[in-house]
Amino acid sequence: MAKVSNYFQCQNCEYQTPKWQGCCPECRKWNTLEEVSQSPAQPKNSAPGKTAAMTSLDNISTDEAPRFITGISEWDRVTGNGIVPGSFSIVTGDPGIGKSTLLLQVSAQLSAKYKVFYFSTEESLAQVKMRFQRLNHPSQTLLFSTQATLEIIVETCKQEKPDLVIIDSIQNIYSSENFSLPGTITQLRETAFYLMKLAKDNNIAIIVTGHITKEGQMAGPKILEHIVDAVFYLQKEDKWQTRILRSEKNRFGSVNEIGFFQMTSTGMIAIENINQHLINDTKHTPGSVLISCLEGTRPLFLELQALTIQTQFSVAQRVATGIDHKQIVLIAAILEKYLHIKFSGCDIFFKLSGGIKIKDNSADLGIALTLLSSYFQKPVPAQTIALGEVSLTGLIKPIQNIDIHAKEAAKFGFDNLLIAYDQKLETKINKHVRRFKSVYDLLELFPE
């Protein structure tokens, strides 16, 4: 008989060690090492004599089934114009953020045309009914259950053949063949795998909700994010009191697409013109500049605010909210190098509105103008959008997709564009376009 060797393997990164440790040395996650028994002399062969059926790509049909369109504009935008049949997706976010409410609305909208099952593993049916009654949707065709056993859910779906299955949440689903507690790494990995197979083999769209950790990341092993087809994060934005649905992974649509909702007593209401909220809240003051940031396929107006003041300390402070402070330090250094403005002797406090993180350099020109506007205490021209990149040599460089930003700016009455000198602009819908070659030209906006 072969000797069985035991070792411990991390369920998050698959790191192996002969001894148990509380924290994985590789991924630094706690309580993820589980004991594994292995017989190296006798590899398993569960299907002797069986081979895989192979096929040519020419014999595979690529005709896509119609997506499930909910009519909730922001949800359909983020999911890639609807839910794909046979897909496996997860919606995660803080407790009480509105995941269950949003998925109840999605279920109610689709149940009018499709067969929808809703498994609630966290709330009783009476609690679900009370929540559903606030939404003012008909519920005759939407079917509910509190079943949390994986095998029963899978068998029910195989027999009944629903079009869409909602499971709230995956942390409470457990396999009767696994003796670990629901929500553990072993249960999550096994549950996710069988739900994925259920979706693919039976062409059933499955959406589950998931918890997040205190660091704001999706709870569970990293393999969970690899298994699912789409990962959506529901976040809260304090400035406008809205909910932001963000696409972090989507095999059937644009990544980094975002949608905006407003939580009300009757459910989540989609906000299609989110830019209007910012326009109504923006004041034409020194130290404030508007930029346009492309999130997915949508241009968003964001307000940059800066406060520069002579420092009272030996080392000047650099405080930034909503934006990487290194980007602020870099732009300030460029301005000091070429314009001889002593930002190194100033405390700089910087803020980005909207709860959106800038991921490219298209906001460089806006950052530079915001710092100069605060330093000179003079506002930039009214109804202005700044779009450009600032190089380390002080030159203003063009950005991509400028026409998308220009059209959105003209739509909301922003006629003034501040762009790079050699920026190509195909659409001429903006009345005033001012071009800059380098940071030296920016001083023309702040005459003494």
Side-chain angles (χ1 to χ4, degrees):
M1 183 176 179
K3 182 180 179 181
V4 178
S5 59
N6 295 340
Y7 62 92
F8 295 87
Q9 178 172 301
C10 176
Q11 304 302 302
N12 184 60
C13 67
E14 299 185 354
Y15 172 82
Q16 296 180 1
T17 177
K19 295 183 179 180
W20 182 86
Q21 301 180 53
C23 179
C24 173
E26 183 71 21
C27 64
R28 313 303 298 175
K29 297 292 183 180
W30 285 89
N31 299 322
T32 59
L33 293 175
E34 293 191 2
E35 188 174 8
V36 177
S37 299
Q38 185 181 24
S39 178
Q42 297 180 354
K44 294 182 179 180
N45 189 356
S46 58
K50 293 185 178 181
T51 60
M54 309 299 292
T55 184
S56 170
L57 292 178
D58 295 333
N59 298 327
I60 300 176
S61 175
T62 56
D63 296 334
E64 294 185 1
R67 299 194 180 206
F68 302 153
I69 307 297
T70 64
I72 305 174
S73 59
E74 296 299 287
W75 169 268
D76 293 333
R77 172 195 288 270
V78 176
T79 56
N81 198 28
I83 303 169
V84 176
S87 62
F88 182 30
S89 308
I90 185 168
V91 178
T92 186
D94 290 324
I97 198 70
K99 301 184 296 293
S100 301
T101 299
L102 179 59
L103 290 182
L104 272 176
Q105 292 181 242
V106 170
S107 304
Q109 290 290 113
L110 294 177
S111 63
K113 296 176 58 179
Y114 304 98
K115 190 174 183 179
V116 181
F117 286 177
Y118 192 105
F119 291 93
S120 175
T121 64
E122 296 183 343
E123 296 179 307
S124 66
L125 292 180
Q127 291 175 306
V128 174
K129 182 177 180 179
M130 292 175 59
R131 181 193 298 271
F132 195 86
Q133 287 176 337
R134 298 197 301 266
L135 305 180
N136 296 325
H137 282 287
S139 60
Q140 289 81 2
T141 56
L142 183 57
L143 301 178
F144 295 88
S145 174
T146 57
Q147 183 58 246
T149 305
L150 174 64
E151 289 77 13
I152 297 178
I153 293 176
V154 170
E155 189 61 29
T156 301
C157 294
K158 286 182 177 180
Q159 294 183 14
E160 299 295 333
K161 300 292 184 181
D163 298 301
L164 173 66
V165 173
I166 306 291
I167 299 178
D168 184 18
S169 67
I170 193 174
Q171 265 79 14
N172 285 357
I173 300 295
Y174 65 93
S175 171
S176 58
E177 299 178 359
N178 195 312
F179 297 102
S180 57
L181 293 174
T184 59
I185 293 176
T186 303
Q187 286 279 15
L188 284 173
R189 185 172 55 183
E190 184 174 349
T191 299
F193 174 77
Y194 282 104
L195 289 178
M196 182 269 292
K197 292 291 293 180
L198 173 66
K200 305 303 179 185
D201 295 343
N202 298 272
N203 201 36
I204 300 173
I206 299 178
I207 304 177
V208 300
T209 63
H211 301 167
I212 64 172
T213 64
K214 61 182 180 180
E215 292 84 11
Q217 299 177 347
M218 188 169 69
K222 201 68 176 178
I223 193 174
L224 185 61
E225 297 183 51
H226 292 286
I227 288 178
V228 298
D229 296 312
V231 179
F232 305 115
Y233 278 85
L234 189 62
Q235 303 167 326
K236 183 178 180 181
E237 199 287 313
D238 294 327
K239 180 179 177 64
W240 302 323
Q241 291 299 312
T242 58
R243 303 291 192 268
I244 300 177
L245 182 65
R246 184 185 302 275
S247 170
E248 294 290 339
K249 173 187 177 181
N250 193 351
R251 289 173 178 159
F252 311 108
S254 175
V255 182
N256 295 325
E257 193 71 70
I258 61 175
F260 292 88
F261 297 87
Q262 184 176 8
M263 176 65 82
T264 66
S265 59
T266 57
M268 307 272 273
I269 299 177
I271 305 176
E272 298 182 7
N273 292 326
I274 190 63
N275 285 329
Q276 191 65 48
H277 286 249
L278 178 59
I279 294 174
N280 296 335
D281 195 42
T282 302
K283 305 299 181 182
H284 184 230
T285 57
S288 174
V289 175
L290 280 179
I291 63 171
S292 181
C293 178
L294 198 64
E295 289 289 332
T297 60
R298 165 187 286 182
L300 293 177
F301 296 150
L302 302 176
E303 182 187 17
L304 301 177
Q305 300 175 5
L307 172 64
T308 60
I309 186 172
Q310 192 72 27
T311 184
Q312 302 297 321
F313 305 96
S314 57
V315 178
Q317 299 182 76
R318 299 290 185 265
V319 180
T321 303
I323 190 171
D324 188 358
H325 78 282
K326 294 181 180 178
Q327 191 172 2
I328 309 299
V329 173
L330 177 62
I331 300 299
I334 294 173
L335 295 177
E336 181 167 354
K337 167 70 176 179
Y338 298 104
L339 302 184
H340 307 290
I341 299 175
K342 294 296 183 180
F343 282 115
S344 57
C346 295
D347 292 331
I348 297 178
F349 303 91
F350 211 93
K351 183 178 181 181
L352 174 66
S353 67
I356 308 298
K357 294 183 179 180
I358 298 177
K359 300 179 181 180
D360 53 37
N361 296 324
S362 62
D364 287 354
L365 180 57
I367 294 174
L369 290 173
T370 308
L371 292 173
L372 293 174
S373 176
S374 176
Y375 183 84
F376 292 114
Q377 278 299 290
K378 294 182 180 180
V380 299
Q383 301 298 310
T384 297
I385 297 288
L387 298 167
E389 180 181 348
V390 179
S391 69
L392 294 178
T393 58
L395 299 178
I396 309 299
K397 302 177 65 176
I399 66 170
Q400 297 180 348
N401 303 313
I402 184 67
D403 291 286
I404 299 178
H405 300 287
K407 291 179 180 178
E408 186 74 7
K411 176 182 176 182
F412 287 91
F414 290 91
D415 299 324
N416 301 318
L417 284 184
L418 306 180
I419 60 178
Y421 184 81
D422 53 350
Q423 177 77 66
K424 294 181 179 180
L425 188 62
E426 296 180 1
T427 57
K428 297 182 180 181
I429 53 180
N430 304 90
K431 296 180 180 179
H432 305 288
V433 178
R434 194 160 184 175
R435 299 176 180 270
F436 305 94
K437 289 184 178 180
S438 67
V439 293
Y440 297 108
D441 300 334
L442 302 182
L443 294 178
E444 299 174 1
L445 297 174
F446 311 101
E448 296 182 359

